[in-house]
Amino acid sequence: MRAFLAAEIDEELKEKIAEVQEQLKEADAPVKYVEPHNLHFTFKFFGEIDEDKSEEIVSAVESKVQSYSPFEISIKGVGLFPNPRYIRVVWLGVEDSGPFSRLQMALDEDFQKMGFKKERSYVPHLTMGRVRGAKNKDALLTKIDELKEVEIGKMRIEKLLLKESVLKRDGPVYTTVNEFDL
């Protein structure tokens, strides 16, 4: 299965995120926006894994989350990856991201021991859209700059989810395979 470890977004915040996406759409840039029901924070994208690897991941996450308590995050600020000259991803950030980053780094150490590539950075972010070309890039950059301080709201991360991603013609379909309470 194609899998990733994630945290869900509170339903009431998804509406605010959709409003930000609508503002970004005014730039008329070629961006594939994430559907509100698919919005999440990714802790780790695993790619294709077999059942043995899935069991290994479940065991590692169950063990690691026992040391962590639920924590609050504040979703704030639009940004982009990798840089303004070549935009691939438009995202929302996390203010005071210490607990989020610490958990992500601790999990990533275990995942690296399983043979997964180490994350380059631990910048907690919520992908809102993937840029598909350079058309109207300046207008998109202007919108991103206008929204760099936008405040979405606070939420508690109380559990992580191992999700399966099935790619369909009209977008990915995510199914929860395991839940891990903090």
Side-chain angles (χ1 to χ4, degrees), residues 27-33 80-90 129-141 144:
D28 196 29
V31 180
K32 169 75 171 109
Y33 290 97
L80 58 86
F81 287 140
N83 62 62
R85 290 184 314 282
Y86 181 67
I87 310 169
R88 295 292 296 148
V89 172
V90 180
R130 290 177 176 77
V131 180
R132 303 286 193 222
K135 179 184 162 215
N136 294 338
K137 182 175 88 169
D138 289 340
L140 181 60
L141 284 169
I144 291 169

Side-chain angles (χ1 to χ4, degrees), residues 11-154:
E11 284 303 316
E12 65 270 13
L13 297 181
K14 288 181 180 181
E15 284 181 38
K16 292 183 180 180
I17 295 167
E19 289 170 15
V20 171
Q21 289 174 318
E22 288 303 314
Q23 292 177 60
L24 290 166
K25 287 176 184 176
E26 293 171 10
D28 196 29
V31 180
K32 169 75 171 109
Y33 290 97
V34 177
E35 296 291 331
H37 64 274
N38 279 345
L39 290 167
H40 63 273
F41 283 103
T42 301
F43 274 77
K44 183 72 172 184
F45 178 75
F46 299 108
E48 290 290 333
I49 59 171
D50 61 21
E51 196 166 323
D52 288 345
K53 191 60 81 175
S54 174
E55 289 172 9
E56 201 177 344
I57 291 166
V58 167
S59 176
V61 177
E62 284 175 342
S63 172
K64 191 63 75 180
V65 297
Q66 290 176 14
S67 307
Y68 289 83
S69 299
F71 55 91
E72 190 171 88
I73 60 169
S74 180
I75 304 172
K76 179 182 177 183
V78 175
L80 58 86
F81 287 140
N83 62 62
R85 290 184 314 282
Y86 181 67
I87 310 169
R88 295 292 296 148
V89 172
V90 180
W91 49 261
L92 280 164
V94 174
E95 196 172 53
D96 302 325
S97 62
F100 190 117
S101 295
R102 283 191 291 278
L103 177 56
Q104 189 178 25
M105 281 190 280
L107 287 164
D108 203 39
E109 284 178 22
D110 289 350
F111 300 147
Q112 190 179 12
K113 291 173 188 166
M114 291 178 211
F116 292 103
K117 189 175 171 193
K118 186 173 175 55
E119 294 296 322
R120 281 187 302 242
S121 72
Y122 300 98
V123 178
H125 66 281
L126 183 153
T127 298
M128 286 191 296
R130 290 177 176 77
V131 180
R132 303 286 193 222
K135 179 184 162 215
N136 294 338
K137 182 175 88 169
D138 289 340
L140 181 60
L141 284 169
T142 299
K143 281 288 174 195
I144 291 169
D145 190 55
E146 288 171 8
L147 294 164
K148 70 181 176 203
E149 296 296 324
V150 70
E151 295 195 29
I152 301 300
K154 294 182 185 301

